[in-house]
Structures are given as structure tokens and as C-alpha cells.
Amino acid sequence: MNNLEKLPVTVITGFLGAGKTTLIRNLMQNPQGKRLAVVVNEFGDVGVDGDILKSCAIPNCPEENIMELANGCICCTVADDFIPTIEALMALEPRPEHIVIETSGLALPKPLLKAFDWPEIRSKITVDGVIALADAEAVADGRFAPDIAAVDAQREADDSLDHETPLSEVFEDQVSCADIVLLTKPDLAGADGVAKAKAIVLRKAPRALPIVEVAEGEVDARLILGLGAAAEDDMDNRPSHHDGSDDHEHDDFESVVIDVPEQSDPASFADKIERLAKHQNILRVKGYAAVAGKPMRLLVQAVGTRVRYQYDRPWRDAEKRSGRLVVIAEHDHVNKEAIRSALVD
């Protein structure tokens, strides 16, 4: 790449558990010859997604090309975190040919695009495209809040309430900012669910958008890299609920980190997480645990009551066999002691 050319950056956005990390892992393994760098912006202070991706590092995207920003939303930490991270990646030898940013599932993408207008980097990088992932089953079901029935009951009881929940605004802002929407987990939604999800996305989108079904994150890199969208110069065509606001808040959501002891049985552990999500309106759980008698670490990912787990890698020699989970919910539903009790007791 000529150093006078702008370095392309692809922003991967999407709701909690939509499959962003799985998509990026597949991009890393099938980069179509491009040297990639990855920036992971976590919500919470346990770098689960970054750890997953580092375990998949390959020559075209080595571990040193994968960086984590766990100190909050990228657009709120531009000077302290984002700019230095981008500059560090651009200084690598050999220089990356493409940067992929995985945003937090709670992130609003448009404020992030504004970060690319900072003088330090504007002449050096460009937003090649914004890719929004949407869980087909969740979209088809209209589950933009953890308990739709409760939200609808509140709406009926009080006409003064805003008829949009924070989660629906996040979803709409992500779709509105996107250049391509990837509908993930189509097998869980079925043909009718996928068709319904596509209709909802098209209804929410401010302009015609390509919508592509993607299973297990498998998509040809040529489809989503090299779009040349220059999204930072196309802000007016990417409307947001927060347009006109000088800043944005993350107070609607909260994350807590829970240390968990060694588990005797993965299925029983998954049952605990499912019950927690059901009874305490938890949106997302992600992390890892040690299982008695097993030499490998158990990786856990949950979206609502849907829990998935697998052994992802062996425990390292100097590594403590202990578990940690990040639990994310809307602010009013976070009771740290109750969460810990549900997972640990």
C-alpha cells in the first residue's frame, strides 16, 4: 500500500450477540490476501472478544495486530484511546492493509464515524464501510427489549412514555448507519423468520440496503471489504435518533463482572445462566470458566436465555484456572449481588 493512500477501516456493528466476533474470526482466517488489523471495543472490563480473536491469530493478522479498547465507548475516548491505537497500528511493520473495528453491542455507530474527522487521522484513514449484523430470529420476533410484553404494558398504562425503548434505538441507529446488513443465524429463524426480519430491516433503513444471510460468520471478504463508502463524508445520509445532540449517554445499560468458581458440569452451568437471564432480564452474558478434570477453558456466550458454550483452548501453564463472566443488562435490571448469587451459589 502506498503510504499516501488512506488506510481503509471497516466498522462492524450490531446488537448484543449478533455474531460480530464470529464474523471477524472468519475474516481473519479468510482475508483474501489482505493484511488485517483488528480493534475490539468491549463493554465491560473483561476482554472476552479480544481474547477469542487473539487465539485465532494467523500470519496475515498476527496477535500484535489485534488491539482492545476496554475503557469505554470508542467515541467517548477518542483522544486517550482511539487515536493512539490507530496510530500504533499504522506504525506497524509491515503496515496493515485494512483495519476492522468491532464495536460494543451497545455502541451507536454514527458518533464513532465522527471520530474519523479528528485532524490527527482524517488524512490517513477512511471508513471503507459500516457492516451491521442483526440476529434474524431476534429481529423477526421484535425482541429489541428483554421483555416486550412488559414494555407494551407500560406503554398502554402511561401515554406519556416514549414508545421507543433504548434497545430499539440502538438497533435502528445501527441499521441507519450501515452500508450492508448481515442477517445472522438464519437457521434459527427459519425461512419465514428471515423474510420477516428482512422486511423489518428494510422498513427501518433510511435508504435501500443490501441484506445478506450469513451463517456462522461465513461471508466472502470481498463482499464486505473494499466498499469504498467513505462513510465519514456521508453523514447526512445516515440519520440517528441522536442527531443534534452534542454527546450521547450509556446510562441505559450497565455491565458487571462476576468471578465464578470451577464448574463440575457445563450443562448445569449453562442452566444457571439461562435462569439468570429469564428471571433478571439479562441481555448478554459472555466469558469463560474452568471445568473440573478438563484441560481446556470453557467459553460461554449467551444472548437472553439462549446459551452456547464450547471448549476454546487449553489452559496455559502459568494461567490460573478461574472463570469470569461479563453480565450486561439495562441499568434498572442490574443487581450485582443477585447476579452473583444466581451464578455462584
Side-chain angles (χ1 to χ4, degrees):
M1 175 185 292
N2 187 317
N3 283 334
L4 296 178
E5 296 178 4
K6 287 188 176 183
L7 183 64
V9 178
T10 294
V11 176
I12 309 290
T13 187
F15 191 63
L16 295 166
K20 300 185 297 297
T21 304
T22 301
L23 173 71
I24 295 174
R25 183 172 58 197
N26 276 289
L27 283 177
M28 289 169 55
Q29 295 170 341
N30 302 281
Q32 297 294 325
K34 293 181 181 291
R35 276 194 311 278
L36 297 182
V38 177
V39 178
V40 181
N41 188 207
E42 296 272 29
F43 187 86
D45 58 2
V46 175
V48 175
D49 293 345
D51 198 29
I52 294 170
L53 293 176
K54 286 178 182 178
S55 71
C56 302
I58 59 172
N60 267 22
C61 189
E63 188 168 336
E64 59 267 25
N65 285 29
I66 304 169
M67 296 193 177
E68 297 172 70
L69 298 177
N71 295 324
C73 166
I74 290 175
C75 47
C76 296
T77 58
V78 173
D80 293 335
D81 290 321
F82 182 58
I83 300 297
T85 296
I86 294 297
E87 290 178 334
L89 289 175
M90 295 178 68
L92 291 172
E93 291 292 344
R95 185 188 185 196
E97 296 173 310
H98 204 111
I99 297 175
V100 177
I101 297 178
E102 177 189 350
T103 69
S104 157
L106 303 175
L108 303 176
K110 191 168 182 179
L112 171 57
L113 297 190
K114 293 178 181 178
F116 286 82
D117 201 35
W118 275 58
E120 291 91 334
I121 60 172
R122 177 168 175 77
S123 64
K124 303 174 184 177
I125 62 176
T126 181
V127 183
D128 180 68
V130 179
I131 313 301
L133 275 65
D135 183 312
E137 183 184 40
V139 173
D141 290 346
R143 289 187 277 110
F144 304 123
D147 188 340
I148 296 298
V151 173
D152 289 341
Q154 286 180 322
R155 289 173 177 170
E156 293 174 5
D158 187 351
D159 290 336
S160 69
L161 288 177
D162 187 349
H163 281 216
E164 295 294 335
T165 71
L167 293 183
S168 69
E169 290 188 4
V170 171
F171 172 76
E172 290 173 10
D173 276 20
Q174 289 171 346
V175 168
S176 294
C177 202
D179 294 289
I180 294 178
V181 175
L182 302 183
L183 278 183
T184 62
K185 307 170 190 173
D187 53 321
L188 297 179
D192 290 343
V194 168
K196 186 175 180 180
K198 286 183 177 179
I200 291 171
V201 171
L202 289 172
R203 190 162 64 246
K204 300 293 185 182
R207 60 195 183 284
L209 287 178
I211 303 174
V212 180
E213 296 175 43
V214 173
E216 300 298 332
E218 295 184 0
V219 62
D220 192 321
R222 293 171 297 183
L223 180 66
I224 60 177
L225 303 183
L227 299 182
E232 72 276 13
D233 295 326
D234 186 40
M235 303 290 276
D236 290 344
N237 291 320
R238 302 168 192 263
S240 164
H241 286 280
H242 298 79
D243 284 343
S245 175
D246 291 332
D247 56 15
H248 61 285
E249 300 295 336
H250 298 281
D251 292 343
D252 295 319
F253 309 99
E254 186 174 340
S255 69
V256 297
V257 178
I258 305 295
D259 293 318
V260 294
E262 188 173 70
Q263 303 295 310
S264 60
D265 176 53
S268 297
F269 188 46
D271 288 342
K272 286 185 179 180
I273 295 172
E274 182 178 344
R275 289 194 297 270
L276 170 69
K278 181 178 181 180
H279 296 302
Q280 297 192 44
N281 291 324
I282 300 301
L283 300 174
R284 183 84 160 93
V285 177
K286 57 183 179 178
Y288 49 87
V291 179
K294 299 295 184 181
M296 298 187 72
R297 190 180 71 167
L298 185 74
L299 180 69
V300 180
Q301 301 267 17
V303 182
T305 59
R306 195 166 70 213
V307 184
R308 300 177 69 180
Y309 57 87
Q310 66 187 69
Y311 293 103
D312 70 328
R313 65 166 174 81
W315 289 98
R316 301 185 178 107
D317 291 340
E319 192 174 20
K320 183 179 178 182
R321 285 176 58 94
S322 60
R324 304 194 85 189
L325 296 178
V326 179
V327 180
I328 304 173
E330 290 190 272
H331 182 77
D332 292 343
H333 294 149
V334 172
N335 181 327
K336 187 170 184 178
E337 291 309 312
I339 292 170
R340 178 181 285 108
S341 178
L343 294 173
V344 176
D345 294 346

